[in-house]
């Protein structure tokens, strides 16, 4: 296992300066009303690198009112969709110009590899370019109504104030999935980023103002879920909540939104099956398995945490996986050559190590890794060596519960029916993959896998051009693709009578 020397990262940590981030409301940096701030910490070094404003419900109220006023102002409400698109395009340009800076912030905040984050931030710009293009191509519909002399059309209108609540694993990207279509559709937005990764969203909001977005159209309120997230969801002027996160938060948001008839989109967790059939290209399938579960140290909703392998290739696949992991470069995520970085938070690190013990106690066999390495190359030590468990049965907790870390459960099967039964035997349904060279079998799996995304001979592919979202407990609604603006709109049916000719006003006509 190769590691990066500590001396460079220590020097970097010492020269970094502390930054303070206020809330971003009405186009301004605004201190929180209580004056309280909390630390944001680098997962690699364990050092606090910024102070983040801790908002309360008064701050939530100020942000929602600002967004509501902006929604009703002619400056936003009455501009053409073409102009909205132009502003979003400008924002995308600014994201590209500032991609290195934004990427560095995200990498400091959640410890993801700079090699992955810098590409991901550039990908964020693509979301804004795409919905900028769609903004003025959303034409509504003329309806051939079943009455003479009337013209009816359905027009799509924005909902009003949208609250977007996002997690720590891909802060800018997961916010863009909501923000770009919501703004393109003409809404105004209040974002509540994760308390662990707030800084990049404040920076994005500043860029949005620079791009020409009117004040109040995009606000950022930082703080804790139960304190300020809940207040944003419950606010009477909020019309829609788009949430990405875990089950507990998603459930709380769904209940709070239902009480006041707000629509929600929920992007939740997964326990996704990655299935290797006997005829698969094993080398490629192993690469897919590695990127599926060990990319981002397993801290992705779509992690392929259950690897279902046919009996005939099971031992070969496990041996290949172990060989790949032995060569992984683990260490400082700000080094472009690092392949596996730290775990984003201390709580998450403890949770992952706890699941290693749970799996062992339940009878799974640890083939590789599963411990916290020690040494200067591991910064403050918040690492988990990627773990491979075999002898896993699908009823074990390690196969049923989302760990959100670099732990792979390998489960054997002997025929396609058994593979499908195991794959679908989960509360979740976010994603699934099948590896095979037989197209007919691939299509059989595609039709039967209960998941919002199915990959054939690839894993973790996503794009703004198509949809993403979960079946079953993995969520409600979809993000991305050509129809995403629809989730941020309401329909109005318009009736126009050229020559009114009502004979009896007491009878419906
Ligand atoms: P989390 O649910 O703890 O937090 C997500 C966000 O919700 C945070 O901003 C948090 O402050 C807020 N929040 C929490 N409770 C709230 C409440 N009662 N009211 C309002 N807001 C509240 O999730 P996390 O730990 O930050 O992220 C990891 C989870 O996110 C995993 O379960 C992962 O699978 C999921 N996730 C899903 C997707 C997807 O697209 N399906 C993508 C990434 C992550």
């Amino acid at each position: 296992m190769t590691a990066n020397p500590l001396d460079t990262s220590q020097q970097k940590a010492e020269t970094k300066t502390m930054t303070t981030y206020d809330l971003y409301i009405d186009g301004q940096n605004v201190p929180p009303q209580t004056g309280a701030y909390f630390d944001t910490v680098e997962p690699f070094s364990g050092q606090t690198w910024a102070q983040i404003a801790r908002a309360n419900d008064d701050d939530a109220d100020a942000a929602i009112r600002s967004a509501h006023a902006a929604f009703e102002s002619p400056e936003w409400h009455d501009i053409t969709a073409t102009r909205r698109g132009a502003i979003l395009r400008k924002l995308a340009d600014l994201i590209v110009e500032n991609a290195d800076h934004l990427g560095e912030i995200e990498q400091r905040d959640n410890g993801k590899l700079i090699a992955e984050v810098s590409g991901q931030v550039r990908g964020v710009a693509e979301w804004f370019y795409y919905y900028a293009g769609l903004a003025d191509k959303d034409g509504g519909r003329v309806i051939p109504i079943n009455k003479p002399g009337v013209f009816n059309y359905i027009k799509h209108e924005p909902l009003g104030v949208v609250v977007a609540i996002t997690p720590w694993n891909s802060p800018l990207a997961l916010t863009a999935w909501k923000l770009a279509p919501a703004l393109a559709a003409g809404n105004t937005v209040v974002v509540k980023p994760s308390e662990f990764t707030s800084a990049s969203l404040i920076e994005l909001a500043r860029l949005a103002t620079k791009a020409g977005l009117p004040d109040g159209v995009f606000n950022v309120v930082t703080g804790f879920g139960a304190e300020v997230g809940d207040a944003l969801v419950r606010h009477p002027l909020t019309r829609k909540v788009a949430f990405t996160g875990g089950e507990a938060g998603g459930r709380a948001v769904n209940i709070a939104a239902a009480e006041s008839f707000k629509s929600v989109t929920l992007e939740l967790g997964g326990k996704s099956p990655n299935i290797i059939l006997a005829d698969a290209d094993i080398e490629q399938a192993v690469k897919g398995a590695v990127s599926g579960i060990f990319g981002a140290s397993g801290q992705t909703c779509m992690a392929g945490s259950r690897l279902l392998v046919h009996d005939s290739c099971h031992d070969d696949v496990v041996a290949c996986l172990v060989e790949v992991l032995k060569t992984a470069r683990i260490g400082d995520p700000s080094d472009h050559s690092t392949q596996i970085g730290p775990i984003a938070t201390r709580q998450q690190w403890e949770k992952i190590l706890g699941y290693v013990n749970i799996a062992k106690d339940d009878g799974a066999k640890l083939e590789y890794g599963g411990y916290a390495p020690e040494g200067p190359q591991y910064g403050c030590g918040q690492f988990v060596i990627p773990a491979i468990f075999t002898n896993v049965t699908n009823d074990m907790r390690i196969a049923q519960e989302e760990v959100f870390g670099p732990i792979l459960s390998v489960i054997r099967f002997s025929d396609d029916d058994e593979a499908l039964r195991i794959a679908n035997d989960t509360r979740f349904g976010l994603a699934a993959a099948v590896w095979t060279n037989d197209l007919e079998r691939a299509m059989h799996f595609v039709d039967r896998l209960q998941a919002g995304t199915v990959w054939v001979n690839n894993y973790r592919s996503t794009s703004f051009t198509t949809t993403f979202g979960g079946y079953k407990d993995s969520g409600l609604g979809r993000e991305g693709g050509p129809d995403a603006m629809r989730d941020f709109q309401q329909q109005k049916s318009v009736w126009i009578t050229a020559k009114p000719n009502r004979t009896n006003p007491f009878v419906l006509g």
Side-chain angles (χ1 to χ4, degrees):
M1 183 181 315
T2 321
N4 303 304
L6 176 67
D7 54 351
T8 49
S9 50
Q10 271 183 338
Q11 283 161 8
K12 276 185 221 156
E14 280 159 17
T15 53
K16 285 170 188 168
T17 50
M18 185 79 79
T19 315
T20 298
Y21 284 96
D22 285 326
L23 310 171
Y24 199 80
I25 299 175
D26 216 24
Q28 307 288 329
N29 300 305
V30 178
Q33 297 193 25
T34 60
Y37 291 81
F38 59 96
D39 292 345
T40 193
V41 176
E42 275 188 333
F44 180 67
S45 67
Q47 294 187 354
T48 298
W49 76 273
Q51 297 278 312
I52 306 292
R54 181 170 183 163
N56 65 10
D57 46 5
D58 289 333
D59 298 303
D61 182 59
I64 297 281
R65 286 189 188 285
S66 162
H68 185 253
F71 181 70
E72 299 211 318
S73 75
E75 216 186 339
W76 182 246
H77 193 272
D78 296 348
I79 66 169
T80 62
T82 306
R83 176 78 195 123
R84 283 203 300 271
I87 296 172
L88 294 184
R89 225 168 356 260
K90 177 71 184 156
L91 174 57
D93 290 343
L94 290 174
I95 293 169
V96 173
E97 276 171 36
N98 291 275
D100 289 341
H101 177 57
L102 293 169
E104 192 191 306
I105 289 175
E106 293 227 323
Q107 182 271 305
R108 286 173 96 172
D109 250 354
N110 68 8
K112 255 189 168 175
L113 303 181
I114 192 68
E116 176 156 338
V117 170
S118 52
Q120 202 176 40
V121 171
R122 284 170 176 81
V124 165
E126 299 294 340
W127 282 75
F128 287 96
Y129 285 127
Y130 181 72
Y131 289 102
L134 282 185
D136 62 0
K137 289 156 198 76
D138 178 43
R141 226 174 134 187
V142 173
I143 302 296
I145 205 102
N146 62 334
K147 295 176 193 301
V150 284
F151 173 64
N152 179 280
Y153 66 100
I154 294 172
K155 120 185 236 281
H156 298 153
E157 295 194 337
L159 292 164
V161 179
V162 171
V163 166
I165 300 180
T166 50
W168 45 262
N169 59 329
S170 298
L172 281 174
L174 294 170
T175 305
W177 292 21
K178 301 158 182 35
L179 189 61
L183 293 178
N187 298 280
T188 56
V189 181
V190 179
V191 173
K192 209 302 278 171
S194 167
E195 47 273 38
F196 299 109
T197 53
S198 304
S200 58
L201 265 305
I202 297 284
E203 300 269 356
L204 182 71
R206 292 173 185 164
L207 291 181
T209 299
K210 216 167 145 189
L213 212 60
D215 294 347
V217 170
F218 170 23
N219 308 276
V220 181
V221 173
T222 53
F224 295 85
E227 267 178 32
V228 71
D230 184 63
L232 291 169
V233 173
R234 290 181 190 277
H235 199 288
L237 293 174
T238 298
R239 289 308 338 143
K240 154 108 195 179
V241 184
F243 174 92
T244 299
E247 274 181 278
R251 185 172 291 110
V253 163
N254 201 18
I255 290 169
E259 280 175 0
S260 46
F261 307 108
K262 288 157 185 153
S263 69
V264 293
T265 305
L266 300 175
E267 294 282 2
L268 306 177
K271 198 72 203 175
S272 300
N274 194 0
I275 307 166
I276 303 180
L277 302 186
D279 72 326
D281 176 336
I282 298 297
E283 195 188 329
Q284 286 302 313
V286 166
K287 284 185 181 159
V290 169
S291 79
I293 181 63
F294 300 125
S297 295
Q299 300 167 107
T300 73
C301 54
M302 63 189 94
S305 50
R306 290 184 301 147
L307 187 68
L308 278 50
V309 190
H310 190 263
D311 281 331
S312 64
C313 54
H314 175 276
D315 294 354
D316 287 348
V317 166
V318 172
C320 288
L321 282 167
V322 169
E323 284 314 304
V324 173
L325 289 189
K326 280 183 186 162
T327 67
R329 291 186 294 276
I330 303 177
D332 184 349
S334 70
D335 183 327
H336 277 269
S337 67
T338 300
Q339 293 172 313
I340 293 182
I343 302 303
T345 69
R346 205 74 187 170
Q347 298 96 301
Q348 189 61 22
W349 178 76
E350 284 166 4
K351 178 181 160 188
I352 294 166
L353 292 172
Y355 268 102
V356 172
N357 290 330
I358 289 169
K360 285 182 192 164
D361 290 348
D362 285 351
K365 181 179 172 207
L366 184 60
E367 298 279 353
Y368 187 82
Y371 60 93
E374 289 175 11
Q377 66 270 43
Y378 302 115
C380 71
Q382 209 165 281
F383 281 78
V384 176
I385 299 296
I388 300 175
F389 279 103
T390 55
N391 285 1
V392 177
T393 54
N394 202 49
D395 56 351
M396 289 181 184
R397 285 184 63 188
I398 198 71
Q400 289 292 331
E401 297 173 17
E402 185 186 45
V403 177
F404 219 60
I407 297 191
L408 180 65
S409 297
V410 184
I411 304 174
R412 311 177 76 112
F413 66 85
S414 51
D415 61 37
D416 290 3
D417 286 347
E418 188 185 15
L420 277 165
R421 186 183 54 69
I422 296 170
N424 289 332
D425 178 20
T426 165
R427 291 184 297 114
F428 297 108
L430 193 61
V434 60
W435 296 81
T436 175
N437 282 317
D438 181 335
L439 188 57
E440 192 182 346
R441 284 173 92 194
M443 298 311 290
H444 181 79
F445 274 80
V446 165
D447 287 347
R448 285 161 184 78
L449 284 167
Q450 296 162 3
T453 293
V454 176
W455 295 292
V456 177
N457 295 333
N458 67 92
Y459 205 97
R460 266 185 98 202
S461 309
T462 60
S463 167
F464 50 91
T465 54
T466 189
T467 59
F468 187 80
Y471 278 27
K472 302 195 277 189
D473 289 4
S474 288
L476 290 175
R478 293 290 177 273
E479 294 187 324
D483 299 325
M485 280 164 60
R486 204 69 70 242
D487 271 347
F488 296 99
Q489 291 171 322
Q490 49 201 338
Q491 297 188 4
K492 181 177 277 175
S493 172
V494 181
W495 295 71
I496 300 175
T497 306
K499 192 169 177 218
N501 186 23
R502 185 173 292 272
T503 46
N504 182 351
F506 296 101
V507 176
L508 196 65

